[in-house]
Amino acid sequence: MKYVLLLTQGAWQEEGSEESKGEVYARIGGWFEKLRADGTIVDAMQLQPPHTATTAVIEDGRSTLIDRALLEAKEAVGGYAVIEVADLDAALAIARSFPVPDGKVEVRPAVEH
Amino acid sequence: VSEAVVEALAQWPERGVPERPGAWLFTTARNKGLDRLRRERTYRRKLELLARIPESPAREPDDRLRLIFTCCHPALGGDAQVALTLRAVVGLTSAEIARAFLIPEATLVKRITRAKRKIVVAGVPYREPEPEDLPERLTQVLRVIYLVFNEGYFTTSGPQGLRRELADDSEWLASQLVAWLPGEPEPLGLLALIRLHLARWKARSGPGGLVLLPDQDRTLWDRERIAGATRILERAASLGRLGPYQIEAAIVAVHCEAPAWENTDWPQLLELYSLLEYFDSSPVVTLNRAVVVAQVRGPRAALELVDGLRPALERYHLFHAVRASLLRRLGSQSEAAEEDAAALRLTSNPAERAILAERLEFAQTHESST
């Protein structure tokens, strides 16, 4: 089955030394590399920070623009990964292995046609 | 509980499996053969209701184990886990479950439908958890069974017969879990806990409604069931891995073994509550321990402990009820009266008050002994 992992920002990105952040980024890099190599991750992308976002709001067919992200910075999505695994337990195990000091990983099954 | 059991629980022994594992299951199994047959039949029928169940007849016990772990999957909400388990594993109808939980049947049906849809759409697997996930997943299953038991045992609303059935269902689930996972001590602990409570069923109601532990006629307790449940607890302890359900069962066992409320083995209870706190550091457990502390070390020591719980339990009526009784024993009558009033303000329903009081059985100590 196909799932999308929505990876939120963590407090670790705001706190701590550049050195310790660098270590976390290195671990994340290794995690993506390994899961891409074995075919688990079929697509993934890291997003620019939420303050770079602009949001279009559509109401009654008319659109307006908001100069910021949809969600609060704390919960903002920082990236995503599309994975192909046998079942939800396998997807949850991967979500829980995301190597950050703090953060959230939402596991959403994708609609497959 | 014999000294040996508490010792066994406390020291995490390596005594190994008893000589005839399994034999105890038959000797302590409840004498409800017909009832069981009925469940076997409905089980097979209801099996088809749950999504993604194999077509072939259920092979026991593997299929049932898979079934209950699927019903209690962490991807499902607590209410849905309970409903699915009662529907698919126990074989109750939606109408029966809805009546037992005092919710409209349509609500219950919607809950089950939504859960089943999530199982399919999100790809919840139909299988036992991996060994490394077992502790976490087993905790969820035990929680669901205990919730079912609580609903049957501690709720006053709804017809009594229905509640008793729910309590019996939880006992049946726990005994199944024990049979499926014979090497796991916590299902044994939960089964012992449920059976120890049920052994006191008859003594719990009187003409005036619920009868609390200190006032129960202990000759109405089912001694044989208590002895059987204690043996189960001994077996759990012999596996050498302590857990909260084993400790709670041991606490109830201590009460069951006391010839009278006044003869309760308080020092042993205190030790068990300290152990329980290690696993479950909730303020309510500490409040319970404080009441035992009052029996062992006196009201002043207990009051100090209780006062530390104020931020967490200020809105909990039994916090004030316990303070009231401790203050009374220390001679502070007016302060005690204020606390009594606070407790009353926080609970409007006398039945609920009685029920919550029994959940915190010891909190009533002082009121009944003074």
Side-chain angles (χ1 to χ4, degrees):
Chain A
M1 289 185 67
K2 243 183 204 151
Y3 298 88
V4 178
L5 306 186
L6 299 170
L7 311 156
T8 71
Q9 311 261 101
W12 65 271
Q13 283 161 297
E14 313 297 321
E15 305 155 356
S17 64
E18 287 305 315
E19 195 190 344
S20 68
K21 273 193 267 188
E23 280 169 26
V24 177
Y25 281 120
R27 276 208 304 274
I28 294 173
W31 185 84
F32 274 104
E33 207 171 305
K34 179 177 154 290
L35 291 170
R36 270 184 193 277
D38 69 13
T40 303
I41 291 182
V42 295
D43 184 23
M45 208 164 275
Q46 190 189 351
L47 306 179
Q48 294 289 355
H51 68 78
T52 62
T54 311
T55 304
V57 180
I58 304 162
E59 275 172 318
D60 297 328
R62 287 154 175 262
S63 65
T64 46
L65 296 176
I66 301 178
D67 63 343
R68 55 189 155 77
L70 189 58
L71 298 170
E72 296 257 342
K74 229 178 88 188
E75 298 272 300
V77 173
Y80 71 89
V82 180
I83 59 171
E84 178 88 56
V85 289
D87 55 42
L88 182 62
D89 280 1
L92 294 174
I94 289 167
R96 295 175 93 161
S97 74
F98 190 55
V100 290
D102 70 288
K104 291 177 183 173
V105 180
E106 181 176 323
V107 179
R108 279 282 273 279
V111 175
E112 291 177 87
H113 297 286
Chain B
V1 171
S2 61
E3 291 294 320
V5 177
V6 172
E7 203 180 309
L9 283 168
Q11 294 184 354
W12 309 36
E14 292 164 25
R15 250 194 271 145
V17 182
E19 276 174 35
R20 293 190 303 143
W24 63 273
L25 251 182
F26 294 101
T27 54
T28 60
R30 72 182 215 255
N31 186 17
K32 284 185 109 178
L34 276 176
D35 195 32
R36 197 171 211 129
L37 277 176
R38 176 180 69 84
R39 287 183 207 289
E40 304 276 326
R41 274 201 306 276
T42 48
Y43 162 72
R44 278 176 220 290
R45 214 172 57 229
K46 300 297 173 195
L47 200 59
E48 294 150 23
L49 292 174
L50 194 73
R52 298 165 66 92
I53 302 300
E55 299 284 314
S56 57
R59 278 170 300 126
E60 312 179 26
D62 296 0
D63 273 352
R64 289 186 179 206
L65 200 50
R66 273 182 225 142
L67 186 59
I68 198 165
F69 274 112
T70 304
C71 291
C72 300
H73 195 278
L76 306 171
D79 288 346
Q81 293 179 1
V82 170
L84 267 187
T85 302
L86 287 175
R87 176 82 175 266
V89 185
V90 180
L92 299 186
T93 64
S94 297
E96 285 171 326
I97 303 169
R99 264 206 309 279
F101 286 84
L102 299 172
I103 53 174
E105 191 182 342
T107 306
L108 196 275
V109 169
K110 199 191 283 174
R111 193 175 288 167
I112 288 179
T113 309
R114 194 177 295 155
K116 277 164 41 179
R117 197 180 303 139
K118 182 161 184 186
I119 288 174
V120 175
V121 172
V124 173
Y126 179 63
R127 67 168 136 74
E128 287 171 47
E130 300 295 325
E132 67 264 27
D133 296 330
L134 185 64
E136 184 182 1
R137 298 287 306 277
L138 187 55
T139 303
Q140 299 245 357
V141 173
L142 292 167
R143 201 187 115 265
V144 164
I145 297 174
Y146 195 44
L147 273 175
V148 172
F149 173 74
N150 271 287
E151 192 64 27
Y153 195 78
F154 290 112
T155 308
T156 38
S157 46
Q160 209 199 7
L162 213 62
R163 291 192 289 108
R164 173 63 202 228
E165 271 178 35
L166 215 48
D168 285 344
D169 286 336
S170 73
E171 184 202 0
W172 181 79
L173 279 170
S175 70
Q176 295 296 301
L177 200 60
V178 161
W180 297 330
L181 300 167
E184 289 296 323
E186 280 292 88
L188 286 161
L190 178 59
L191 181 62
L193 174 63
I194 290 174
R195 287 192 174 160
L196 286 166
H197 275 310
L198 288 179
R200 298 190 289 112
W201 184 273
K202 253 199 249 169
R204 290 173 76 238
S205 50
L210 192 83
V211 182
L212 298 180
L213 185 62
D215 308 315
Q216 285 173 10
D217 176 357
R218 298 187 177 213
T219 63
L220 294 176
W221 292 0
D222 187 337
R223 288 290 156 197
E224 208 174 306
R225 294 201 86 191
I226 289 171
T230 308
R231 280 198 298 277
I232 293 173
L233 185 55
E234 282 167 357
R235 179 173 151 73
S238 78
L239 292 170
R241 278 179 289 139
L242 194 58
Y245 291 106
Q246 294 168 72
I247 300 167
E248 281 199 46
I251 286 169
V252 180
V254 166
H255 283 287
C256 286
E257 286 188 351
W261 176 257
E262 296 72 34
N263 306 105
T264 305
D265 187 343
W266 300 111
Q268 194 170 327
L269 275 182
L270 188 55
E271 197 169 317
L272 289 169
Y273 267 113
S274 304
L275 277 174
L276 187 57
E277 254 184 335
Y278 172 81
F279 286 96
D280 175 9
S281 56
S282 82
V284 173
V285 171
T286 307
L287 185 64
N288 267 319
R289 183 165 70 84
V291 180
V292 182
V293 164
Q295 297 283 1
V296 179
R297 298 193 201 125
R300 190 163 303 281
L303 191 62
E304 265 173 43
L305 191 57
V306 171
D307 284 346
L309 300 172
R310 183 178 289 283
L313 296 181
E314 184 128 46
R315 307 287 313 152
Y316 188 46
H317 68 278
L318 286 175
F319 166 80
H320 297 283
V322 169
R323 278 203 93 228
S325 53
L326 293 173
L327 287 165
R328 193 162 291 122
R329 281 174 63 178
L330 290 166
S332 311
Q333 301 299 339
S334 63
E335 271 185 273
E338 276 170 36
E339 284 290 16
D340 269 335
L344 274 173
R345 270 198 304 278
L346 289 169
T347 172
S348 50
N349 178 347
E352 188 199 18
R353 186 192 161 104
I355 288 301
L356 284 170
E358 208 203 28
R359 282 193 206 226
L360 271 175
E361 280 162 324
F362 319 116
Q364 289 290 313
T365 316
H366 323 292
E367 279 157 20
S368 60
S369 61
T370 49

